[in-house]
Each structure stands twice: as C-alpha cells, then as structure tokens.
Amino acid sequence: MAVKLMHAVQYNSYGGGPSGLKLVEIPIPTPKKDEVLLKLEAASLNPVDWTIQTGLMRPLFFPRHFPHTPVSDVAGEVVEVGQGVRKFKVGDKVVAILTLSNGGGFAEFATASESLTVTRPPEVSAAEAAGLPIAGITAHKCLTQAAGVKLDGTGPQKNILVTAASGGVGHYAVQLAKLGNHHVTATCGARNIDLVKSLGADEVLDYKTPEGAALNSPSGRKYDAVIHCTTGIPWSTFNPNLSPNGKVIDITPGPKAMLTFTLQKLTCSKKQLVPLLVIRKAENLEYLVKLVKEGKLKTVIDSTHPLSKAEDAWGKSIDGHATGKIIVEPK
C-alpha cells in the first residue's frame, strides 16, 4: 500500500530560530495501543516549544530525536483509534496534550494518548481549546496548588498579583483568580491595560512606569500570592510588596530563583519564592474546557497563522509580546 503523506513543520538540529523550521511531507502517523489519530484543526505555541529548539532542555532529552515536529497543545477530530481506546470514537472533537519530547502539533495529523485527550464540546472552538493545555493548566496549578487559592469562592479572599497579565499564562490566571472572588492586581504593557481590565483585574499597572516596575498596589495592598509570568524581576522588588506569608510562584525559574528558594528553605522564611513544576493532567484540562463552555473563561487569541507560515508564529512567540495565545492552523 502507498504511504499516506501529510504536511508538517520540522527542524533538524538545535538553534536556527524561525529560519530553522522547514515545511515538509512526512507519513501520517499510525495510532499505537491506547492512542487516537487526530486530524488537527488548531495548535497553540508556548515558550517551551522554542526553548526546546535552543537546546536548553537537552539534559531532559528534549527533543527525543531529529527531525523534530514541535508543539504539544492541539485540538482536532478523531479519525482513527488504536487498540484499547474506549473513551473516543471516530468523529469526536477533542483537545489533547502531546508530549514535549515527541511533539507533533505542527502537522496536519498527530497521535495523542487517550489518557491526555479530552472531549471538546461544540461551544468551544478548536483555537480556544488549543490554547488551554500548557498555559491554562499552568495558571490553574499556580493558583490552586502552589498558592493554595480556592477558585470556587468558598475560601478567604486573597490579594493576588499577576505579572505579564496579557500573556498566555497571565491572561488565564487573572480570569481564574477572579472566579474565586479574589482581588487581582496585574501588570502589562500600556496597550493591553483595557484588555486586562476586561478580564477582571481590579488594578492594572503599566510595567514601564515607576509604580509598575516597583509592583506597588495602587490601593496599598500586600500580595498573598504573586503569579510571576515574566522574567527579570529580582526578589528584592517582590519582598516589600508581600504579606507576611506571601508567596511568589515563578513559572520560569532560573538559577537565581532556585538559589533564593533554597536559601529561604534553609532559613525557614515565611515569605517564599516557589518554583513551579507542572504535571499536566486530563482532569485539569477537562475543568478548563468546562469553564470555557460555560463562558467563565476565555482564550484571548493574539494571531492565527497557517501551517505554511509557521515560522511567523514562531518568531512572534520568541519576540515575547504576544497578547494571549498564538495559534497555527493546518490550512
């Protein structure tokens, strides 16, 4: 039988940035046991995708081999099921989490584990759903797991700061925190202040102003938790703005952050910087999809690009100033 081919975007070595991406034709994958084959409708980029390309995650064996088809957050339609699959059938609309080591999202088809695939209701578009797996789950874990914040309105109200609140993780964090009736202060660029207010933020700071750079709450509040979605802010800036037991949850901790974390543990500091490690689970994704369906959470889409122009999306993500999520569609 003739091998069926599909279009995909790959890179063949570390480095290269957007110009390292190549549009190629490769065989359509076959689902293994407990896997589904998806005809992809949307994929969303995350900074980890191009970080893998730089080689910084080489010690974790990312990617597993070259050539590599990047991106792990996808939505599409089930077109084939592997042996043992029980939850899905051909024709089901879904959103899935692919492994970072294998990737596969920059393609017309991809295989996904049944255990990391979730039904997508008709009220949730492919692009909205594709934005959720890494960014949405990270925001959810920051608040519920690391900060200990309740999102159902039953716990005490907390004062929460979200940095880079118009970005992928940040824009979800603002919305989720407000679901729990917490007070949210947010930082972003001047052009996104109205957007972040529309997502529910009580106070919004332009990070380029002196007040924004100092992270000072306009109402004088001290933060119980900081969802830190950017880089370059030292602990000395956070410290005076925290409540006595305040935590800074760092989603991209570098060496300095890890050193601060270790020293605080050794000195039993009540104020803490917490490096976040996220294990993505289907149950968390199901919860977020349900919120989108109910109109309680939305994915802000920065831009949409065809697969043939994936390098434009890649470059925009590297630039670091996207508002919400960057989507690639296999047109």
Side-chain angles (χ1 to χ4, degrees):
M1 293 180 61
V3 175
K4 293 184 178 180
L5 301 177
M6 66 175 182
H7 289 104
V9 170
Q10 299 183 324
Y11 55 85
N12 290 298
S13 62
Y14 291 118
S19 62
L21 301 181
K22 305 300 178 187
L23 184 65
V24 297
E25 280 194 324
I26 59 174
I28 295 175
T30 301
K32 299 174 184 175
K33 186 177 184 295
D34 299 324
E35 287 185 342
V36 293
L37 176 65
L38 307 180
K39 180 177 172 52
L40 298 184
E41 298 170 19
S44 79
L45 272 71
N46 296 280
V48 70
D49 296 318
W50 48 263
T51 300
I52 291 172
Q53 187 197 28
T54 67
L56 287 174
M57 300 185 74
R58 194 179 317 189
L60 300 176
F61 306 105
F62 292 166
R64 190 160 290 171
H65 56 76
F66 292 116
H68 178 64
T69 306
V71 179
S72 64
D73 292 4
V74 299
E77 180 178 327
V78 177
V79 292
E80 187 179 344
V81 297
Q83 180 186 351
V85 172
R86 296 287 180 265
K87 291 195 301 183
F88 301 104
K89 64 183 185 302
V90 171
D92 286 348
K93 298 286 189 177
V94 298
V95 54
I97 303 167
L98 310 182
T99 64
L100 289 171
S101 56
N102 289 330
F106 267 6
E108 293 178 304
F109 296 86
T111 53
S113 168
E114 179 185 29
S115 64
L116 293 174
T117 302
V118 170
T119 298
R120 174 168 59 88
E123 296 89 347
V124 182
S125 73
E128 289 173 316
L132 294 171
I134 284 184
I137 292 176
T138 297
H140 180 259
K141 290 289 188 181
C142 278
L143 290 162
T144 60
Q145 175 181 298
V149 170
K150 298 226 178 241
L151 303 184
D152 59 3
T154 61
Q157 187 186 64
K158 302 281 189 178
N159 294 321
I160 296 170
L161 170 67
V162 180
T163 63
S166 59
V169 175
H171 90 283
Y172 288 129
V174 169
Q175 295 176 78
L176 291 171
K178 288 309 296 180
L179 275 181
N181 295 320
H182 301 291
H183 185 278
V184 176
T185 304
T187 70
C188 65
R191 68 186 175 92
N192 288 320
I193 287 177
D194 289 342
L195 168 70
V196 173
K197 284 182 178 177
S198 76
L199 297 176
D202 300 284
E203 304 172 330
V204 184
L205 296 166
D206 176 354
Y207 75 94
K208 290 186 176 180
T209 64
E211 297 79 16
L215 305 179
N216 294 331
S217 163
S219 58
R221 296 168 186 257
K222 298 298 183 182
Y223 307 120
D224 300 302
V226 178
I227 312 304
H228 185 33
C229 305
T230 186
T231 57
I233 302 177
W235 173 256
S236 58
T237 301
F238 289 117
N239 191 24
N241 291 294
L242 295 175
S243 64
N245 294 298
K247 294 181 179 179
V248 176
I249 296 90
D250 193 341
I251 69 169
T252 56
K256 285 186 178 179
M258 297 306 295
L259 178 60
T260 299
F261 169 71
T262 303
L263 291 174
Q264 289 170 347
K265 284 294 184 184
L266 291 172
T267 58
C268 301
S269 172
K270 290 185 177 180
K271 295 181 181 181
Q272 294 182 1
L273 187 147
V274 181
L276 185 74
L277 174 64
V278 175
I279 298 175
R280 298 179 294 167
K281 297 181 179 180
E283 62 199 60
N284 304 130
L285 186 54
E286 284 178 333
Y287 169 74
L288 296 172
V289 169
K290 182 173 180 287
L291 291 180
V292 175
K293 176 187 176 183
E294 294 171 351
K296 297 176 180 177
L297 182 70
K298 69 178 181 180
T299 297
V300 173
I301 296 174
D302 175 274
S303 53
T304 302
H305 307 258
L307 187 63
S308 60
K309 296 291 185 181
E311 70 274 12
D312 294 342
W314 201 257
K316 193 172 183 63
S317 181
I318 292 173
D319 183 54
H321 295 290
T323 301
K325 298 298 296 179
I326 299 169
I327 302 296
V328 170
E329 296 177 342
K331 295 177 180 178

